Amino acid sequence: MSLLSIFLQAQPGGGGNMMIIMGVMMVGFFLLIILPQQRKQKKEKNFQENLKVGSRVVLTSGLHGRIAQVQDDGYVIETLSGKLKFEKAAISKDLTEARFGDKAKAAEKTTDKKETKEKN
């Protein structure tokens, strides 16, 4: 017997059971649909906020580049054709670690040293 036929055979005056079933369905919907989506959005926002100058990224349009500047409302991405400004939401992947590995870590250390010298 399917779940639908059980609902259709409910006796009159048995609305209490129906309310419990609806409540369980709403909780299940929240746990299976809404909560994972919220986690994904939070993770993506943290990723986009924590990018640094020098990170190699891929944009949602497929454009590859390196972050040249971090601004309040977006990033300036350096590509082979020049520098372009994009919104933070346009960045989809960070390729620094995955593609360049140890070279990226070494380049990051030298960039940090240069930034420290420039500040002094």
Side-chain angles (χ1 to χ4, degrees):
M1 205 181 265
S2 71
L3 189 60
L4 181 60
S5 63
I6 293 172
F7 285 134
L8 294 175
Q9 293 176 6
Q11 296 178 3
N17 290 338
M18 185 64 95
M19 295 299 281
I20 292 172
I21 292 172
M22 291 297 288
V24 169
M25 288 176 56
M26 291 173 86
V27 169
F29 181 77
F30 178 78
L31 291 175
L32 295 174
I33 306 289
I34 297 172
L35 198 59
Q37 183 66 25
Q38 288 177 345
R39 287 183 188 148
K40 182 181 175 187
Q41 287 175 346
K42 186 184 283 186
K43 184 179 176 182
E44 187 173 333
K45 184 177 180 184
N46 286 338
F47 160 73
Q48 291 170 348
E49 294 290 329
N50 293 329
L51 289 170
K52 300 181 220 170
V53 173
S55 296
R56 296 182 186 270
V57 295
V58 177
L59 304 176
T60 54
S61 62
L63 184 71
H64 290 243
R66 185 182 63 82
I67 296 178
Q69 292 178 351
V70 177
Q71 299 177 344
D72 291 339
D73 59 340
Y75 294 108
V76 175
I77 307 294
E78 184 177 4
T79 64
L80 293 176
S81 61
K83 293 183 179 181
L84 304 167
K85 184 176 179 182
F86 286 94
E87 296 290 323
K88 291 182 178 182
I91 296 178
S92 65
K93 280 195 234 178
D94 183 11
L95 291 179
T96 308
E97 285 290 324
R99 189 167 182 197
F100 300 101
D102 294 332
K103 291 180 185 178
K105 290 179 185 176
E108 185 177 311
K109 288 179 184 177
T110 58
T111 305
D112 289 343
K113 288 179 185 177
K114 288 179 185 177
E115 289 176 3
T116 306
K117 289 179 183 178
E118 290 175 2
K119 288 180 182 178
N120 293 333

